[in-house]
Amino acid sequence: MRLLLIADTHIPKRARDLPARVWDEVAAADVVLHAGDWVVPELLDSLEARAKRLIACWGNNDGDELRSRLPERADAQLAGLRFTVVHETGAAAGREARMSRLYPDTDVLVFGHSHIPWDTTTPSGLRLLNPGSPTDRRRQPFCTYMTVTLQDATMVVTLERLRPGDR
């Protein structure tokens, strides 16, 4: 199973649309996970129409319409692993212990908000993944997203970097 992880797309404030390479990944993915900060519902409409399956939540920059259509927390079981998608996890300091306490029944927590890629596994075994942002790198050297291959509850996570020409 192939997953695409994105967050913090901020369409149209940070970009008019997702980069073409990300749309190619949407087409290739079995499941797209979006960890919030869409900004406008048109991107949600497009992803719902183009993704085979979409698991998503709203973020702090998402208004009433997106919040009425998306949960604050989305949960799904994929290839034998329990995934949770949320937008915010708070400060980086203490994140692993805090998330292990808050999500004891989750195997993989996908989050956004910081625009900073993150991939760690807590002592309790919880995998924390933040794909960064494909449209707003902030202080990062590149815009990013993640791809994940799942097979027999084994995950291979790849951080994908977008260069300006990839847009």
Side-chain angles (χ1 to χ4, degrees):
M1 179 179 288
R2 184 172 172 83
L3 311 180
L4 169 63
L5 279 54
I6 56 177
D8 298 292
T9 46
H10 293 273
I11 303 291
K13 291 185 177 185
R14 299 293 183 225
R16 276 178 262 150
D17 196 3
L18 292 177
R21 192 166 135 203
V22 175
W23 281 118
D24 290 344
E25 294 285 1
V26 169
D30 297 299
V31 183
V32 176
L33 294 90
H34 190 302
D37 272 3
W38 306 73
V39 180
V40 294
E42 289 79 9
L43 179 60
L44 173 59
D45 295 338
S46 294
L47 273 175
E48 285 177 331
R50 294 168 78 171
K52 293 176 187 85
R53 180 175 178 193
L54 177 65
I55 301 166
C57 67
W58 54 262
N60 62 298
N61 283 291
D62 297 328
D64 292 340
E65 184 175 348
L66 285 161
R67 290 177 188 225
S68 71
R69 293 175 59 188
L70 295 166
E72 184 175 10
R73 170 186 174 163
D75 294 285
Q77 187 144 344
L78 303 171
L81 294 171
R82 299 163 299 179
F83 281 75
T84 297
V85 182
V86 298
H87 184 63
E88 294 188 52
T89 59
R95 178 178 286 141
E96 291 183 2
R98 192 171 57 251
M99 294 304 102
S100 289
R101 277 193 314 275
L102 289 173
Y103 300 98
D105 297 325
T106 296
D107 298 310
V108 182
L109 180 67
V110 178
F111 66 99
H113 189 61
S114 68
H115 299 218
I116 299 170
W118 185 284
D119 182 356
T120 59
T121 302
T122 70
S124 71
L126 174 64
R127 184 87 178 254
L128 299 171
L129 298 174
N130 183 330
S133 170
T135 57
D136 184 14
R137 65 182 180 87
R138 283 198 184 157
R139 295 172 301 279
Q140 301 304 299
F142 301 99
C143 289
T144 58
Y145 63 93
M146 287 177 171
T147 57
V148 177
T149 303
L150 292 175
Q151 186 170 358
D152 302 323
T154 300
M155 286 186 16
V156 176
V157 177
T158 304
L159 178 66
E160 305 285 352
R161 293 178 174 93
L162 291 160
R163 288 171 172 59
D166 293 333
R167 299 184 184 223

